[in-house]
Amino acid sequence: MPRPTPVPPPWDAPAPIGDYAVLGDGRTAALVSRHGSVDWLCLPRFDSAASFAALLGDPGHGRWLLTVPDATAVERRYESDSFVLETRYTSPTGTALVREAMPLGDGRADVVRVVTCLTGTVTVEHEWVVRFGYGAVRPWVHHVRDDEGLDTIRAIAGPDSLVLRGDRLPTPQGDRHADRFTLAAGEKVGLTVTWTPSWEPIPPRLPERQRLDQTAGAWQEWVASGRPDRLHRDAVVRSLLVLRLLTDSETGGIVAAATMALPEDPGGERNWDYRYCWLRDAAMTLEALLEQGYADEATRWRDWLLRAVAGDPSDLQIMYRTDGGRDLVERELPHLPGYAGSRPVRIGNAAVAQRQHDVLGEVMLALEAAREGGLEESEDSWSLQRHLVDDLADHWRVPDRGIWEVRGPQQHFVHSKVMSWAAFDCAVRAVEQHGLDGPVDRWRTERAAVHAEVLEHGFDPGRGTFVQHYGATHTDAALLAIPATGFLPADDPRVAGTIRAVREELEVAPGLLRRYRTDRADDGLAGAEHAFLACSFWLADALARAGDTDAAAEVLDALVPLGGHLGLLAEEYDPASGSMLGNVPQALSHLALVRAVHSLRLAREGRPRGRSEAAPVTGDPAAGPDEGRAVAVALPAGDPVPAASAP
């Protein structure tokens, strides 16, 4: 266990973003505060409405608290390579342990918690406040008997139902259910909350300890099925687990984060809903998983992609719902005060309608990595890529909103152009190296045109650096992706000059970079930017690819500890306050960590870091003694999945 940390009393709010642990079942995720409050949970899917929304308000917006109120210290950890959370409370009279998880593999949407008194006696506080509709809907709450005759509390409103059952249930106290009780050494209480459609009967109670043990084993089995890098092993494995947790076990969609509206700038308006599947983030997640030997995700994500984007290529969106749905209309929830008063609280995301040319480049790179890892193209998958690349050929010359989804003026962003080049290059390589068919002469022509245009209009020869967009004199951190695409060699002087300029302009603390400077780049929003963790890991990646392994290691040594003892990363980090900011856990931050560590390991071994380092499905002969397999092991899902696409 880590060293005990003093615990604020459970009524102190808001809890720091970096203090939250995450639980997940492959369909959705819960955030649990240091003092044992489930303050965020959307059921039954990541992008469903929240049933516990205290994270963006107060306990009256819904939470599930199980804590030792007089605890003077707390220790938390995940059971080895899993998302089974252990929290040890120390009070003046004794110690207690809470084990909790969202179980896997039984087709249910549950949170299971078991509190055990280890020594002496402890006082336990239990509070259950259910509010459907992001804290807006008060349900009908009543006691019922399940099929086994056991007392159960059921909350119902519209299509949603939550049931609470266990060894000891709370009693009504105003607009909440609450209880306070004492446990002696060896005594324990198990509790489970289960979501069901309101018209379905209550499912049977299942043994809590057995479900926790099975869930820990399933996560551990998934980790063992790959070949995670041993460098920064704990951080890499935790990041891979986060990426798997954010992958919908039924549909294959990969969400950007488990939360919405957590502020990038506390008290400001930079509050976004990230519970959707960005093609860009998902594609980069896929590359990270492939490089670590998790090949099966490639097939499932490609199948999701085919379903989601089916139709006219001109209708391509940059993000979708986990089931491939396209309706992500952005709106505000005025009844929620927001985390730390950060308003507006938004659901949906208006960026869904933006033009972002870089997205197809990321998708093509991921599909190329899967192809080179041994995944055969289907007729449909290659047809989709052909049509999307042809559509890009018609439009890449117009400005776009870029990777940062600016709400200011559209620009000719250099990163967008470079990724357009990557899309054409992947298409050409598919024909030349894999024998696929397509208008390769046109694609070669467009590839050459993009390359020439970027070098002419996107590079400042006086400063020796690429710039954020045509006509700009400043950089942005997305330029660090240039060597990873193959647009220029990693040791090209223009790449070195760009790395140097990015650090000079955007580094706010050792290894920590902003995305861009808001006083130079018009993103259409008020407020400030803090260090963006993915960009900071991109810096380490670029340095490693360029052969500067000492500098890359120095950056990683500064960044990896920021995840704390739980190893979870949000979107941004404020070095002045030592605070995580933005949505959490953030896929982009975790995948960037994994890829940067991989680049450094390869550089230290003298192995060139190609554009794609996906391991063959049959194993990597150059791997270490127990790294040579990439055999898919099924991670039990929340709902049955056809065997051909099981994770």
Side-chain angles (χ1 to χ4, degrees):
M1 281 281 188
R3 181 179 179 181
T5 304
V7 186
W11 51 86
D12 278 2
I17 292 172
D19 275 1
Y20 279 96
V22 65
L23 313 176
D25 62 2
R27 299 300 314 285
T28 189
L31 262 64
V32 188
S33 73
R34 180 181 294 277
H35 57 258
S37 182
V38 177
D39 285 344
W40 183 253
L41 179 57
C42 301
L43 290 164
R45 303 187 323 193
F46 289 105
D47 52 11
S48 299
S51 300
F52 300 124
L55 181 68
L56 301 178
D58 58 44
H61 293 104
R63 73 168 179 177
W64 185 20
L65 176 70
L66 186 68
T67 194
V68 176
D70 61 346
T72 57
V74 66
E75 306 165 71
R76 292 191 303 172
R77 67 164 190 164
Y78 287 117
E79 293 184 13
S80 177
D81 295 350
S82 80
F83 279 110
V84 176
L85 179 68
E86 291 186 353
T87 305
R88 184 188 298 262
Y89 294 97
T90 300
S91 77
T93 58
T95 60
L97 180 71
V98 175
R99 291 181 77 209
E100 54 194 320
M102 296 190 72
L104 300 167
D106 52 22
R108 293 167 47 144
D110 295 350
V111 180
V112 174
R113 315 178 86 175
V114 177
V115 55
T116 303
C117 181
L118 301 176
T119 63
T121 61
V122 291
T123 299
V124 178
E125 183 175 350
H126 183 199
E127 181 182 85
W128 195 60
V129 183
V130 179
R131 296 290 184 270
F132 295 118
Y134 301 103
V137 179
R138 291 174 178 263
W140 172 40
V141 184
H142 60 299
H143 281 260
V144 297
R145 294 283 176 179
D146 65 15
D147 289 344
E148 300 175 16
L150 299 175
D151 188 24
T152 300
I153 302 175
R154 191 172 198 185
I156 291 179
D160 295 303
S161 166
L162 278 184
V163 295
L164 172 65
R165 83 274 302 288
D167 298 321
R168 180 185 175 110
L169 297 180
T171 58
Q173 297 185 21
D175 60 356
R176 64 194 181 111
H177 280 66
D179 189 17
R180 183 174 285 226
F181 55 92
T182 300
L183 294 177
E187 295 180 335
K188 64 183 63 178
V189 169
L191 297 159
T192 299
V193 164
T194 303
W195 179 91
T196 62
S198 59
W199 56 87
E200 290 189 357
I202 296 172
R205 182 181 178 185
L206 300 176
E208 290 91 2
R209 174 181 284 186
Q210 179 180 343
R211 299 181 80 198
L212 292 172
D213 292 343
Q214 290 173 344
T215 296
W219 285 115
Q220 292 159 5
E221 185 179 10
W222 181 81
V223 170
S225 73
R227 49 174 186 82
D229 279 313
R230 295 190 182 95
L231 180 64
H232 291 295
R233 192 266 179 194
D234 290 346
V236 168
V237 168
R238 182 55 51 190
S239 292
L240 291 167
L241 283 163
V242 167
L243 298 178
R244 186 61 187 83
L245 179 145
L246 296 175
T247 302
D248 189 294
S249 59
E250 183 177 25
T251 69
I254 303 172
V255 299
T259 58
M260 55 173 258
L262 290 180
E264 300 169 14
D265 183 27
E269 65 171 327
R270 296 171 182 262
N271 318 311
W272 313 110
D273 190 348
Y274 278 7
R275 299 169 301 144
Y276 307 116
C277 305
W278 268 255
L279 298 187
R280 174 195 305 111
D281 299 43
M284 289 191 281
T285 295
L286 183 62
E287 288 187 88
L289 291 170
L290 284 167
E291 289 170 352
Q292 301 294 316
Y294 299 94
D296 190 63
E297 279 70 18
T299 302
R300 301 190 62 248
W301 182 76
R302 189 184 68 182
D303 291 345
W304 175 88
L305 179 69
L306 287 169
R307 297 191 302 269
V309 308
D312 192 327
S314 63
D315 294 332
L316 179 73
Q317 295 184 176
I318 58 102
M319 72 179 85
Y320 297 84
R321 291 186 174 274
T322 56
D323 62 1
R326 297 175 178 234
D327 182 8
L328 281 76
V329 175
E330 185 176 301
R331 62 187 179 92
E332 298 177 5
L333 300 180
H335 70 277
L336 285 173
Y339 180 90
S342 305
R343 303 182 73 176
V345 174
R346 299 181 177 94
I347 60 171
N349 201 304
V352 68
Q354 290 185 355
R355 182 189 297 274
Q356 298 175 17
H357 291 313
D358 71 293
V359 169
L360 184 57
E362 297 291 1
V363 169
M364 293 295 290
L365 285 169
L367 293 176
E368 179 183 77
R371 189 161 53 240
E372 294 183 353
L375 178 64
E376 293 185 6
E377 292 286 0
S378 69
E379 182 178 347
D380 289 340
S381 67
W382 177 241
S383 175
L384 170 69
Q385 294 169 68
R386 283 189 52 173
H387 283 87
L388 292 176
V389 173
D390 283 342
D391 185 71
L392 179 66
D394 294 333
H395 297 102
W396 69 264
R397 290 174 176 82
V398 301
D400 72 337
R401 300 288 182 182
I403 185 174
W404 307 129
E405 302 182 345
V406 298
R407 300 194 176 198
Q410 296 187 79
Q411 302 284 357
H412 290 281
F413 288 103
V414 171
H415 175 262
S416 293
K417 305 297 186 186
V418 169
M419 297 311 300
S420 296
W421 176 91
F424 293 126
D425 189 54
C426 288
V428 170
R429 286 159 58 100
V431 174
E432 293 179 343
Q433 299 182 17
H434 294 274
L436 299 171
D437 65 306
V440 68
D441 290 338
R442 184 192 187 198
W443 294 341
R444 289 194 193 101
T445 299
E446 299 297 338
R447 179 180 64 177
V450 180
H451 202 274
E453 185 178 292
V454 169
L455 294 182
E456 180 179 358
H457 299 290
F459 184 77
D460 181 345
R463 296 181 60 210
T465 181
F466 287 95
V467 292
Q468 184 182 37
H469 57 78
Y470 295 174
T473 58
H474 58 274
T475 65
D476 82 336
L479 299 170
L480 295 172
I482 289 175
T485 65
F487 184 86
L488 286 176
D491 59 356
D492 189 286
R494 290 165 291 189
V495 171
T498 301
I499 295 173
R500 181 176 59 253
V502 165
R503 297 196 77 168
E504 289 173 353
E505 291 183 20
L506 303 178
E507 195 165 22
V508 295
L512 284 164
L513 301 181
R514 296 187 183 100
R515 291 182 287 184
Y516 49 82
R517 287 182 52 170
T518 53
D519 59 343
R520 297 186 181 182
D522 182 5
D523 61 10
L525 298 165
E529 274 287 309
H530 296 278
F532 198 83
L533 289 172
C535 296
S536 304
F537 287 110
W538 291 349
L539 172 61
D541 189 277
L543 290 167
R545 289 175 187 266
D548 193 345
T549 57
D550 289 344
E554 185 177 352
V555 171
L556 283 173
D557 287 344
L559 297 179
V560 167
L562 299 182
H565 61 281
L566 294 179
L568 301 178
L569 300 173
E571 183 178 23
E572 298 189 3
Y573 181 80
D574 178 12
S577 63
S579 302
M580 289 284 175
L581 298 171
N583 289 302
V584 67
Q586 181 85 357
L588 194 61
S589 300
H590 284 282
L591 70 90
L593 181 155
V594 171
R595 302 201 75 192
V597 171
H598 192 60
S599 291
L600 178 56
R601 180 175 74 84
L602 293 180
R604 283 178 169 174
E605 294 174 357
R607 296 169 60 186
R609 177 69 151 117
R611 187 164 75 189
S612 170
E613 289 291 337
V617 175
T618 54
D620 179 1
D626 60 356
E627 289 184 330
R629 61 193 183 103
V631 180
V633 172
L635 177 65
D639 292 294
V641 181
S645 61

